[in-house]
Amino acid sequence: MTVAYDDIVAVTYVWATGTQIVRLDARLVPSQFSALAVAIDAIAATVVPTAPAVDVDRAAGAVGVAPLSHELSERAGFPLPSLAGFAPAPFVSDMPRVPAGALSALLAGAGRARLGAPYGVLARAARDTPEALSLRQASLVDDRGRLTVEGSVVARALFRTTHIIAARVRRGGRGALLLVYGAPDGRLVLLSDPTVAEQEAGAPVDEANRHVTVLDAEEIPRFLCAWVGLTPFWSFGDESTIDQTEIETRVAAGDTEVLVQRPGVSLLDIVDADDRWHRLGPAEDGIHPLRVDPTRAFFDDLVTLCGQALS
């Protein structure tokens, strides 16, 4: 099981032999995880239970206090607990919303350095406008229209114009977009819509009025996992194929399409109604291979993608 918590990745392996329980825990920041995950897995692979085989079989078939997933237990041939209790809390877009016009004013102000305003200042005509008010509410400028440290980070990142990571989620006619821009100081600026789940609950979406977030690089994998709605599940399933028409049919019917990409690399998944994730491979003659994409595998690939984009 792999869980990202407060920007620390906790990898836990458990061996239950019937007479003893052995745990292996590793805790790393995402960039360390990207470099060391293979070594941690290799260490775990060397652990061999030494209890008698009958005790191991008895432990595998025992029913514990955790609620069971009856469907998957029947498919597996032994009890499997439900992973619903491990699911993270629903993502909440509580970051300030900033209109596109306000961000344009911020960019213009970044180039207007004045005495006492080391990060720039809004043009005088822009200081008493609704756009300036939204910038103040987002703590990107102060009461005198001077850019704050965070406002300067946002302006310098958006000045580059080209995002380094994009994420898109679609379900049932709704869609949400998240764009990640890199600032010169190594921090990241995110422009994002409310998630599809938030939209289904009534949150409005407006392409010209997006949430703005400033993050350190180590925070981006956790944020992306939460925003796209990654959840743990038992990865049972067979490989199959799918074409674009069926993808659109399934998304319209309530399945979720999750796309995370950087230039040249894409992670594309379909999430079914049972919250099971499936990775779409590159299409050949319009047909994609489709395979189960375990939570750990998606997280591994996401951390690698983020590391490549930030390098």
Side-chain angles (χ1 to χ4, degrees):
M1 178 175 64
T2 303
V3 180
Y5 179 72
D6 285 347
D7 311 315
I8 297 294
V9 183
V11 183
T12 300
Y13 301 84
V14 178
W15 296 265
T17 68
T19 58
Q20 56 187 311
I21 294 177
V22 178
R23 285 179 52 134
L24 170 64
D25 293 292
R27 288 175 172 80
L28 319 89
V29 297
S31 59
Q32 293 172 326
F33 174 79
S34 180
L36 298 175
V38 173
I40 297 169
D41 290 344
I43 293 171
T46 65
V47 177
V48 179
T50 58
V54 65
D55 290 339
V56 176
D57 290 340
R58 185 182 302 115
V63 178
V65 295
L68 298 181
S69 173
H70 296 291
E71 174 196 355
L72 293 181
S73 296
E74 183 175 345
R75 292 179 63 181
F78 53 85
L80 283 175
S82 168
L83 297 179
F86 295 96
F91 182 86
V92 177
S93 296
D94 55 1
M95 309 78 70
R97 284 195 182 195
V98 180
L103 293 176
S104 296
L106 188 75
L107 283 170
R112 295 170 51 86
R114 293 290 187 274
L115 185 65
Y119 307 114
V121 61
L122 297 183
R124 186 175 298 277
R127 295 178 198 173
D128 294 317
T129 62
E131 289 78 12
L133 175 61
S134 70
L135 292 172
R136 288 196 296 271
Q137 291 173 337
S139 300
L140 300 180
V141 302
D142 63 18
D143 291 341
R144 298 171 62 182
R146 298 175 301 188
L147 274 66
T148 62
V149 174
E150 193 163 86
S152 174
V153 171
V154 172
R156 294 170 71 189
L158 298 184
F159 183 77
R160 297 183 169 189
T161 69
T162 303
H163 57 268
I164 58 175
I165 299 173
R168 185 193 70 202
V169 177
R170 297 193 302 143
R171 180 169 67 237
R174 292 185 171 87
L177 181 68
L178 180 152
L179 301 174
V180 181
Y181 297 82
D185 67 352
R187 283 189 285 178
L188 305 172
V189 174
L190 286 67
L191 303 184
S192 61
D193 295 323
T195 66
V196 169
E198 290 175 311
Q199 294 178 39
E200 291 171 342
V205 60
D206 180 358
E207 294 179 3
N209 190 18
R210 288 196 162 114
H211 295 285
V212 177
T213 313
V214 178
L215 296 177
D216 291 326
E218 297 292 359
E219 298 177 276
I220 189 64
R222 174 179 59 89
F223 190 99
L224 280 172
C225 285
W227 189 85
V228 302
L230 183 63
T231 55
F233 68 98
W234 293 111
S235 50
F236 282 84
D238 300 320
E239 292 191 8
S240 59
T241 59
I242 190 171
D243 62 21
Q244 190 60 41
T245 299
E246 186 178 355
I247 292 173
E248 297 301 328
T249 299
R250 289 179 57 171
V251 170
D255 284 3
T256 306
E257 181 192 69
V258 176
L259 172 67
V260 183
Q261 59 186 170
R262 69 168 184 84
V265 177
S266 296
L267 306 178
L268 180 59
D269 278 48
I270 292 289
V271 188
D272 64 24
D274 294 325
D275 292 329
R276 288 178 292 198
W277 291 56
H278 301 79
R279 175 68 54 83
L280 279 76
E284 291 189 15
D285 298 326
I287 305 297
H288 296 267
L290 189 66
R291 58 175 173 77
V292 173
D293 193 18
T295 306
R296 165 69 187 268
F298 182 91
F299 182 77
D300 284 358
D301 290 341
L302 180 65
V303 170
T304 299
L305 182 147
C306 290
Q308 293 168 341
L310 297 175
S311 65

